[in-house]
């Protein structure tokens, strides 16, 4: 975010208890953040932690490919593993199934009169393809400057590969790079990258690709 000025709202999808939103606020105090946490118990902790922070709007719902509800496998003892993808949790069986509301990102942006996003962070344990599908209009019109997304072993269960992420973003003109502690490695897809290790990648819209040299 230091290399990418935040002039439009930021979406924190899979906000958990708000650590990422807090980091953004520390770096950009004027940032307007919309945080989404689908699990009610986790949302309560999010609300307790950042509910009074100016400029953070909290949403107890998820983003997905359609509006309605979705089944979440929630792990009360390890809530960070909670996911809409069957087989999540690395084989753990201590989950409960709960029905949670979801909305399409495009619809949310329209309802809140948000024409553009500076940053879209997605950390939803394998549900990333669904979240991105809900932003089809914003992606096709390149109205999201920067997207951070997760890729890892859960993509095996999801059957959505790193190659699929690259193809999706290439279709909309985005450049993709893997995030390391001190830099981002922007490069074309190679099959050797399909290691399911992740964890985080960055996608830049054409008008944000000036930052590639700053992030390398």
């Amino acid at each position: 975010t230091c290399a990418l000025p935040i002039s439009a709202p930021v979406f924190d999808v899979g906000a958990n208890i708000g650590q990422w939103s807090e980091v953004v606020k520390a770096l950009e105090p004027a940032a307007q953040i919309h945080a989404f946490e689908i699990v009610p118990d986790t949302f309560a902790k999010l609300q307790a932690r950042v509910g009074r922070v100016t400029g953070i709007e909290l949403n107890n719902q998820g983003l997905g490919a359609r509006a309605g509800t979705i089944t979440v496998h929630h792990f009360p003892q390890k809530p960070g593993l909670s996911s809409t993808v069957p087989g999540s949790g690395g084989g753990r069986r201590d989950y409960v199934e709960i029905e949670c509301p979801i909305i399409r990102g495009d619809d949310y942006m329209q309802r809140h009169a948000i024409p553009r996003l500076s940053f879209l962070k997605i950390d939803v344990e394998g549900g990333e393809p669904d979240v991105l599908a809900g932003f089809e209009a914003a992606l096709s019109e390149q109205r999201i400057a920067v997207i951070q997304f997760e890729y890892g072993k859960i993509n095996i269960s999801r059957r959505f590969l790193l190659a699929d992420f690259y193809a999706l973003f290439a279709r909309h003109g985005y450049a993709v790079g893997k995030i390391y502690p001190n830099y981002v490695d922007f490069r074309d897809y190679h099959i050797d990258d399909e290691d399911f290790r992740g964890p985080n990648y960055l996608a830049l819209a054409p008008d944000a690709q000036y930052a590639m040299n700053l992030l390398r």
Side-chain angles (χ1 to χ4, degrees):
T1 53
C2 293
L4 296 158
I6 295 176
S7 56
V10 172
F11 278 16
D12 182 358
V13 184
N16 200 271
I17 61 172
Q19 303 100 314
W20 190 87
S21 287
E22 287 180 326
V23 170
V24 173
K25 271 294 186 181
L27 293 171
E28 295 281 353
Q32 297 296 309
I33 301 173
H34 295 250
F36 300 83
E37 175 50 52
I38 197 170
V39 177
D41 289 349
T42 307
F43 179 79
K45 296 175 182 177
L46 171 68
Q47 200 167 34
R49 182 164 178 160
V50 300
R52 297 187 178 183
V53 177
T54 301
I56 301 182
E57 182 166 337
L58 304 182
N59 295 273
N60 188 195
Q61 61 183 338
L63 297 185
R66 56 175 177 77
T69 62
I70 195 166
T71 302
V72 176
H73 289 193
H74 173 48
F75 295 83
Q77 302 305 315
K78 196 75 172 177
L81 296 177
S82 298
S83 173
T84 59
V85 179
S88 62
R92 294 177 63 134
R93 306 297 299 173
D94 57 333
Y95 65 83
V96 294
E97 293 187 357
I98 54 177
E99 288 296 310
C100 299
I102 56 170
I103 187 175
R104 296 173 67 252
D106 283 333
D107 294 341
Y108 184 93
M109 289 177 69
Q110 184 176 28
R111 291 178 190 178
H112 289 77
I114 300 172
R116 180 176 176 81
L117 299 182
S118 288
F119 207 111
L120 168 62
K121 167 262 191 181
I122 314 172
D123 181 358
V124 290
E125 301 301 315
E128 284 78 3
D130 298 317
V131 174
L132 291 169
F135 282 102
E136 177 63 27
L139 287 171
S140 65
E141 296 164 10
Q142 299 172 347
R143 292 189 284 110
I144 307 174
V146 184
I147 301 168
Q148 178 184 325
F149 65 95
E150 278 201 333
Y151 156 82
K153 288 183 179 179
I154 198 166
N155 288 91
I156 300 173
S157 299
R158 183 56 204 266
R159 290 175 172 77
F160 196 95
L161 305 179
L162 183 62
D164 297 311
F165 281 115
Y166 265 85
L168 184 156
F169 286 117
R171 191 166 70 246
H172 299 301
Y174 283 69
V176 176
K178 184 174 181 177
I179 300 174
Y180 288 89
N182 299 312
Y183 68 100
V184 181
D185 183 12
F186 290 99
R187 61 180 179 179
D188 293 337
Y189 173 82
H190 190 278
I191 194 169
D192 290 343
D193 300 325
E194 204 73 73
D195 56 12
F196 304 103
R197 294 178 183 175
N200 287 293
Y201 280 75
L202 203 68
L204 301 180
D207 64 356
Q209 290 176 17
Y210 69 89
M212 289 174 67
N213 290 331
L214 299 174
L215 293 167
R216 281 184 167 130

